Amino acid sequence: MRKITLSLLLLFMASLAFAQQKGYENIPRKKENLNLNWQWKKDKAETPKELNRNKSGWTKVAIPHNPDPVSLGMSEMIDTWPQHEMMRDVSWYRKEMKIDKGSDELIFLEFEGVHTVTDVWVNGQFVSKNELGGYTPFHFDITKFVKAGAINEIIVKADNRPSEVIPPDPHRTDYIKWGGLYRDVYLVTTKKLHVNFNWEAEEAGVRITTPTVKRRYGIAAINTTVANKQPTQQEANLVTKIVNAEGWVVKTMESTATILPGTSHTFKQSEVLEDNDYYTWSPDRPYLYRAVSYIYSGDQLVDFVENKFGFRKLELVDGQGMLLNGEPFFMVGANRHQNFPHIGDAVPNSMHYEEALRLKEAGFNTIRLSHYPQDDAFLEACDELGMLVYEEPATWILWEQGEWMDNLEASTRIMIRNHRNHPSIAIWGAGINHRGPVPRLAKVCKEEDPTRLTASASSPWNGLHHAGPTDIYATMDYRRSEWAEEGFTLVMEHGTGPDAASNQFHLSRYKKRKNNIGALVWVAADYQNLKKDPEDTQKHSDYAILDMYRNKRPVYYWYQSEMNDENIVHIADETVSCNGIVHVYSNADKVELYADDALIATQMPDRLHVKANNAHPSFSFFYPWENATLKALAYKNGKLVAQHERKKTGKPYALKLEMDYPERPLVAGGSELKTIRAYLLDKQGEIITNADNSVHFQVSGKGALAHAEEAYIKEMKVMNGVATVYLRGTEAAGNITIKATSGKLKSATLNIMSEPFASNEILANAQPIYDAPIYRVDIGHKGQLPQFDWTAWDVDNKNDLTYQHASGAKFEISSAGEINWSKGQPAILGDLCFMGADGVFVKDTTISLTFHKLPKGKYKLISYHHATGHGKQFPYNINNKLKNKESWRTPEQHLVGYFKHNDTGEREPINYTQFFEVTDEQAVKLDFIVDKPDSYTWLNGFELRMVEDSEANSSPVF
């Protein structure tokens, strides 16, 4: 009965696909985003009973939430870098909501991250505590505390007071220890037979590895742990589908197990992907698959989970360095702190994605998450955009033995379990910044994930000068530090400069040696920090690739020229094009620089030895730029490929308003934010980088500025020519108008439309699942050696020329002539050797293949016509009588030495591809005939699958 139900499900989902439905209807698991409509207050109470419940003392907030917004200069914070006082207090969050619960369901509260110790009460009853730190996820089972179908009260205590045993406390850090409920919160509902959370245990949730990654073949190994909270044993059936990037199911696996009450079982499944179903993941082509898991109890679907993954392999080879999917790969990127001005760590998913996108657009292929695990949304963005990630547990320099180290180990394990399926994760940090490798962490990383590399987090002035028990010597280098004499070195931090000179030096230096595997600049974006002296007024960095608001500094454009293929030329602005030198960044062969249309010079890239190993060193023009209009023309092979013009800035004249990445809409509700920038321009439209104006923002309609009540938001200071604020939507979606003014300057107005908030997290992120049979049929005689993983169609007599497939489709071979079939066990060399070795054939006439009872839709057919042992093998084309206009040309891969019988090189059987559409219940008949007289037409087998309209329309449809 269950087999029948599953087949019906497949057919049902196939029909959904072509009605453009997503295939997520009636799934039993629910994941509701709880980010909206919380009440917040600060209070010294230790329990809800001591809490002042007066409603007037609470403020309505959305999650992510920062309890302590601060100005850019953090003049409010009079503290030193251990940060024992400022922000080190307790926030309380309260939410009322209706919760539905069936008798066979479990209810969980899932937190992506809370600073720092978390206690939860439901309906006045204490549920549990998490005290492993603020940078890793956790969940609580609240089933027994919930009043089904009624209004339930949830209270969260976010205790950010200093701790002696929770890393990175009690020590100093170069980053602020923000407070609050600052990452997403979810209400998760499952059946009692369900896939548990990844971080519950080493064997928990879904673990995906790719133990085999080759050019044309890959193996995906998927371990799925199912927990049984029922009072009786359960027969659990797991159906796992591998879905490609276009949404098509390419592989289906099924396993069954008996799970005793109160226990769990880990299903271990694996599948081979090859040929057109197989693509590797890399920064150049970040191809993602989905593993979709369906758990059945008898005929009932009881759980549904989905995880993305990619096929990619990293290896270290002495003398070659790092190889990604078998090819040399050099890491170029930056370190990232997660906080933004004013909102601190409370960064919404939209801004995580947009920062990742901005770093990808710079050309970076690697990001180090310094110095703590970061938001799931950033990892998901790196997966999608194609950037490798080096992630480490929350530490900095100092550490403790005992309970402190126990907690660091536990949080490291959770970090790995939470992010282990991300193809972007390349390296686990198994060291402590400045202190080098920690043997205990190195063991933990390999225990939890032996498939990833580990790095030491070393410094040349402290600790080992080699990798120790980790795979990589990851070191800081702000001068000319030594490389490890053996093994592999990654400069995990190197210096930067506004004109990119320092960046070019470090990158070139580390490229000299094959066993140096990368260079990561400190730092991607400026960040706020504290120092030893409480009177120190410099409480943020000012040298990064991006400023704190993620505006681009000139050095950003050098990375673009170095790392991207698109033609670029960029004249650096006057912040670095000064003191008699104009800096130009380009990936061209030569650049002409003009001042007021007069040629200054024609130059090749700088030929300094400290830049010699870079692909595209910058161009330095010696010219005292004062008032002239500069124009740079870039040439490749004598051809003009790009140009850029820049004028010397004048006096402030007007404002220009823009929203970052307007193609990504603002989601209403208040949880998401969009970055709004007001550019201070002169009359020529140039951004005035040295201005000191303030900009007043006025918002009307369905939106408001984040922390609009703060004076520094109302009158936002310009930084590097830009005033930046964050816009949030109201609960209702709609039109929002933003107006920017600054004294007598010309004002600017921007209109945007927000989109409604969707609390159903699964459906909000759903991508189509198109599930239809993939037919791979090997036609041959009864004694054939069938192709592995293909369906064998055995032909022994004329009665075998019709084949009924398990899916319900029927295939038929016919001809006006006499149909014959090969006998014995022939073979050919190369791929699909068994499928192409035998089949049916006719002489001097047409052989027909008819498909009956195919579901409606567009199809791709690859048919194989390889003559083996009957008639001479020679180049031929296949005529298709359905159109009979033009013969199918012999594919190019068949031409090189293919018909030389003494050539034993690999080849695949002669094949032709066509597309057709099934629009009704009529059968589809295809006729094939060789275009040579006195010859045989063969049919060895075929591959048939449904395709998207776009794929079918890209090729002729017969």
Side-chain angles (χ1 to χ4, degrees):
M1 178 63 185
R2 217 215 63 76
K3 297 283 187 182
I4 297 173
T5 303
L6 179 58
S7 298
L8 291 174
L9 174 66
L10 298 184
L11 293 174
F12 172 66
M13 292 185 73
S15 67
L16 285 178
F18 294 97
Q20 297 302 306
Q21 299 296 317
K22 292 185 174 180
Y24 290 76
E25 291 79 3
N26 301 317
I27 60 175
R29 176 178 287 253
K30 300 179 182 67
K31 187 173 183 179
E32 184 177 358
N33 186 305
L34 301 186
N35 283 356
L36 304 187
N37 300 317
W38 288 81
Q39 298 291 322
W40 161 80
K41 70 179 300 185
K42 287 193 177 186
D43 197 292
K44 296 181 180 179
E46 295 294 334
T47 67
K49 288 183 179 180
E50 304 171 18
L51 190 62
N52 181 355
R53 308 297 285 273
N54 188 336
K55 289 187 178 181
S56 63
W58 296 80
T59 301
K60 185 178 179 180
V61 298
I63 309 303
H65 177 247
N66 174 24
D68 298 287
V70 293
S71 62
L72 192 66
M74 294 199 305
S75 58
E76 308 92 329
M77 291 192 66
I78 306 172
D79 207 343
T80 56
W81 60 4
Q83 195 184 336
H84 289 155
E85 300 295 333
M86 298 300 296
M87 302 182 183
R88 309 313 299 271
D89 49 22
V90 179
S91 284
W92 289 87
Y93 295 86
R94 178 178 177 271
K95 182 181 180 71
E96 291 184 343
M97 61 178 298
K98 182 181 178 181
I99 301 176
D100 294 318
K101 181 181 77 70
S103 60
D104 62 340
E105 289 184 326
L106 301 174
I107 310 293
F108 301 94
L109 275 176
E110 178 186 343
F111 297 87
E112 288 189 355
V114 182
H115 286 315
T116 289
V117 176
T118 308
D119 295 271
V120 170
W121 289 261
V122 173
N123 296 324
Q125 298 183 73
F126 178 69
V127 175
S128 192
K129 176 191 294 282
N130 177 73
E131 46 191 345
L132 282 180
Y135 299 96
T136 50
F138 56 94
H139 70 282
F140 297 138
D141 184 346
I142 63 171
T143 308
K144 66 181 181 181
F145 306 101
V146 167
K147 298 175 182 176
I151 298 298
N152 292 260
E153 181 190 54
I154 299 170
I155 292 181
V156 179
K157 176 186 175 185
D159 188 345
N160 199 38
R161 290 174 292 189
S163 169
E164 294 295 317
V165 296
I166 302 177
D169 272 339
H171 308 298
R172 67 183 188 267
T173 57
D174 76 331
Y175 50 95
I176 302 299
K177 295 159 185 167
W178 306 92
L181 214 173
Y182 78 102
R183 288 184 185 166
D184 297 335
V185 186
Y186 305 102
L187 187 76
V188 179
T189 303
T190 72
K191 301 294 186 182
K192 291 184 178 179
L193 187 67
H194 66 282
V195 178
N196 54 10
F197 291 87
N198 277 19
W199 50 81
E200 286 191 42
E202 187 174 351
E203 288 290 348
V206 177
R207 177 201 294 266
I208 305 173
T209 58
T210 53
T212 297
V213 178
K214 303 178 71 175
R215 185 174 61 86
R216 295 178 60 189
Y217 298 88
I219 297 178
I222 304 173
N223 291 3
T224 306
T225 302
V226 176
N228 178 20
K229 299 297 184 182
Q230 295 279 16
T232 59
Q233 72 178 29
Q234 298 290 307
E235 295 295 323
N237 186 273
L238 169 66
V239 178
T240 302
K241 298 182 180 298
I242 297 178
V243 182
N244 68 15
E246 291 72 43
W248 291 95
V249 175
V250 294
K251 293 288 182 178
T252 298
M253 301 169 284
E254 187 168 353
S255 304
T256 302
T258 301
I259 308 178
L260 297 175
T263 68
S264 63
H265 175 79
T266 299
F267 294 88
K268 297 187 177 182
Q269 300 173 316
S270 60
E271 190 55 271
V272 176
L273 270 68
E274 57 185 302
D275 296 330
N276 295 329
D277 290 332
Y278 173 68
Y279 302 93
T280 55
W281 183 98
S282 69
D284 291 334
R285 188 179 65 178
Y287 194 95
L288 291 173
Y289 293 86
R290 286 178 283 159
V292 185
S293 307
Y294 303 86
I295 294 84
Y296 293 87
S297 177
D299 297 329
Q300 183 185 7
L301 180 66
V302 295
D303 206 359
F304 168 100
V305 294
E306 181 174 280
N307 290 270
K308 292 184 178 179
F309 72 99
F311 286 92
R312 68 113 187 88
K313 178 172 69 174
L314 282 170
E315 52 190 328
L316 301 173
V317 179
D318 191 31
Q320 297 185 57
M322 175 179 284
L323 303 184
L324 172 61
N325 303 332
E327 299 293 331
F329 185 84
F330 190 83
M331 294 178 157
V332 178
N335 288 256
R336 185 209 189 220
H337 274 309
Q338 69 183 4
N339 57 78
F340 280 64
H342 320 305
I343 60 175
D345 279 356
V347 181
N349 297 336
S350 56
M351 292 178 68
H352 282 299
Y353 181 92
E354 289 175 6
E355 182 176 5
L357 180 55
R358 182 149 292 189
L359 297 175
K360 177 69 175 182
E361 289 172 344
F364 290 156
N365 60 38
T366 306
I367 301 295
R368 177 183 175 220
L369 305 182
S370 48
H371 305 283
Y372 39 79
Q374 296 189 18
D375 198 288
D376 294 349
F378 191 80
L379 271 295
E380 290 163 4
C382 291
D383 291 342
E384 179 182 331
L385 298 170
M387 289 194 290
L388 294 178
V389 172
Y390 168 172
E391 187 170 37
E392 57 196 11
T395 59
W396 194 38
I397 297 177
L398 301 179
W399 58 278
E400 304 284 343
Q401 294 284 14
E403 188 176 355
W404 189 95
M405 184 60 77
D406 293 342
N407 286 332
L408 182 63
E409 175 183 327
S411 62
T412 302
R413 291 185 186 275
I414 291 175
M415 172 189 76
I416 294 171
R417 294 168 187 172
N418 185 39
H419 287 156
R420 65 193 176 198
N421 292 335
H422 291 277
S424 57
I425 292 285
I427 299 171
W428 298 122
I432 291 178
N433 216 44
H434 298 258
R435 299 298 300 272
V438 180
R440 184 171 174 180
L441 292 184
K443 292 186 293 183
V444 164
C445 291
K446 291 300 185 180
E447 287 171 4
E448 291 287 339
D449 183 7
T451 71
R452 293 312 201 297
L453 301 172
T454 56
S456 63
S458 300
S459 65
W461 55 84
N462 203 357
L464 303 180
H465 281 205
H466 55 78
T470 63
D471 299 313
I472 299 165
Y473 176 57
T475 186
M476 305 176 191
D477 189 347
Y478 293 96
R479 301 172 187 87
R480 286 182 173 84
S481 301
E482 294 181 1
W483 302 321
E485 293 186 8
E486 62 175 10
F488 304 87
T489 299
L490 166 68
V491 56
M492 67 179 187
E493 296 180 19
H494 70 73
T496 184
D499 60 0
S502 177
N503 308 69
Q504 294 177 73
F505 162 72
H506 288 292
L507 189 59
S508 176
R509 180 170 180 264
Y510 273 81
K511 280 187 171 182
K512 287 180 183 177
R513 176 175 176 262
K514 291 293 187 182
N515 281 11
N516 292 342
I517 65 170
L520 310 181
V521 65
W522 185 265
V523 59
D526 285 327
Y527 61 101
Q528 292 165 310
N529 54 18
L530 297 170
K531 301 296 183 183
K532 291 180 182 179
D533 187 352
E535 301 302 320
D536 194 331
T537 57
Q538 181 66 22
K539 294 180 180 177
H540 62 80
S541 64
D542 58 2
Y543 48 76
I545 309 302
L546 306 170
D547 70 21
M548 277 199 292
Y549 294 103
R550 277 54 177 181
N551 293 300
K552 302 169 186 176
R553 288 204 169 98
V555 62
Y556 180 95
Y557 297 97
W558 176 73
Y559 278 105
Q560 281 194 322
S561 69
E562 174 72 8
M563 298 298 296
N564 291 313
D565 293 331
E566 183 178 351
N567 294 322
I568 181 176
V569 62
H570 181 87
I571 305 169
D573 65 33
E574 56 198 341
T575 61
V576 297
S577 290
C578 56
N579 300 324
I581 300 178
V582 174
H583 296 275
V584 177
Y585 308 127
S586 180
N587 50 14
D589 304 330
K590 67 176 181 180
V591 170
E592 296 175 347
L593 185 66
Y594 293 82
D596 291 335
D597 296 324
L599 180 65
I600 296 172
T602 300
Q603 291 184 190
M604 304 296 188
D606 295 346
R607 297 187 64 186
L608 299 174
H609 71 279
V610 292
K611 302 180 181 181
N613 299 302
N614 294 327
H616 301 290
S618 59
F619 296 73
S620 300
F621 290 88
F622 293 89
Y623 175 73
W625 184 29
E626 294 180 356
N627 297 311
T629 296
L630 299 179
K631 181 168 65 175
L633 303 181
Y635 295 87
K636 282 185 179 178
N637 299 320
K639 180 180 178 181
L640 179 65
V641 294
Q643 57 184 318
H644 183 228
E645 186 175 293
R646 185 180 292 281
K647 299 177 176 64
K648 198 76 169 182
T649 56
K651 295 181 179 180
Y653 171 73
L655 297 173
K656 179 179 72 172
L657 271 177
E658 289 185 356
M659 181 175 75
D660 277 9
Y661 301 104
E663 68 277 9
R664 295 179 56 82
L666 172 65
V667 176
S671 178
E672 293 289 344
L673 301 174
K674 289 290 287 186
T675 302
I676 306 295
R677 304 186 192 276
Y679 294 88
L680 189 65
L681 308 179
D682 63 11
K683 276 193 174 183
Q684 304 172 105
E686 291 285 330
I687 300 172
I688 305 173
T689 57
N690 59 357
D692 193 31
N693 296 53
S694 293
V695 177
H696 175 72
F697 291 87
Q698 182 179 341
V699 178
S700 59
K702 303 297 184 180
L705 297 182
H707 305 300
E709 68 282 359
E710 303 291 346
Y712 50 79
I713 300 294
K714 293 176 181 177
E715 298 294 330
M716 177 57 67
K717 294 288 289 185
V718 167
M719 171 182 280
N720 298 322
V722 190
T724 308
V725 290
Y726 310 121
L727 177 71
R728 69 169 82 247
T730 58
E731 286 191 35
N735 187 66
I736 306 170
T737 300
I738 307 106
K739 184 176 182 180
T741 57
S742 180
K744 296 181 179 180
L745 302 184
K746 188 176 180 180
S747 63
T749 301
L750 182 66
N751 290 296
I752 67 170
M753 182 69 70
S754 63
E755 291 190 353
F757 173 81
S759 64
N760 187 322
E761 191 71 12
I762 295 175
L763 292 185
N765 294 290
Q767 296 174 299
I769 301 173
Y770 302 147
D771 199 349
I774 298 174
Y775 306 99
R776 292 184 175 93
V777 179
D778 181 356
I779 303 171
H781 67 97
K782 228 164 201 176
Q784 70 171 314
L785 297 173
Q787 188 69 37
F788 294 110
D789 298 327
W790 284 50
T791 297
W793 182 350
D794 296 333
V795 179
D796 191 45
N797 56 57
K798 297 284 193 290
N799 297 326
D800 296 330
L801 296 177
T802 299
Y803 185 83
Q804 184 70 50
H805 194 272
S807 67
K810 186 171 74 171
F811 314 133
E812 182 181 0
I813 299 170
S814 60
S815 176
E818 182 181 0
I819 299 175
N820 294 283
W821 50 92
S822 56
K823 295 182 174 63
Q825 294 182 341
I828 64 172
L829 294 174
D831 290 344
L832 300 179
C833 50
F834 299 110
M835 189 279 302
D838 53 4
V840 295
F841 57 93
V842 297
K843 187 176 183 181
D844 289 334
T845 188
T846 298
I847 192 166
S848 301
L849 177 62
T850 304
F851 300 106
H852 302 271
K853 297 184 178 180
L854 291 178
K856 294 179 182 180
K858 288 187 169 65
Y859 287 83
K860 176 182 180 181
L861 172 71
I862 305 175
S863 56
Y864 295 86
H865 309 275
H866 196 85
T868 57
H870 291 77
K872 185 181 178 182
Q873 181 79 3
F874 47 76
Y876 59 79
N877 298 312
I878 290 285
N879 289 323
N880 185 293
K881 291 297 184 66
L882 197 63
K883 283 281 185 176
N884 202 24
K885 290 183 178 179
E886 183 179 356
S887 61
W888 299 348
R889 301 302 179 185
T890 305
E892 292 180 359
Q893 66 265 32
H894 300 156
L895 299 180
V896 181
Y898 196 86
F899 302 101
K900 294 179 181 179
H901 291 286
N902 58 354
D903 179 1
T904 59
E906 287 198 14
R907 74 286 306 273
E908 62 182 3
I910 293 176
N911 60 82
Y912 301 89
T913 300
Q914 65 173 312
F915 296 84
F916 62 86
E917 185 172 6
V918 175
T919 58
D920 50 34
E921 297 300 321
Q922 295 293 321
V924 175
K925 184 180 179 182
L926 303 173
D927 301 322
F928 311 101
I929 185 169
V930 171
D931 65 345
K932 302 288 185 181
D934 192 29
S935 60
Y936 293 86
T937 301
W938 277 76
L939 181 60
N940 315 90
F942 60 87
E943 298 179 68
L944 179 68
R945 68 175 70 201
M946 283 185 170
V947 294
E948 289 182 289
D949 289 349
S950 58
E951 184 178 359
N953 293 336
S954 66
S955 302
V957 178
F958 292 92

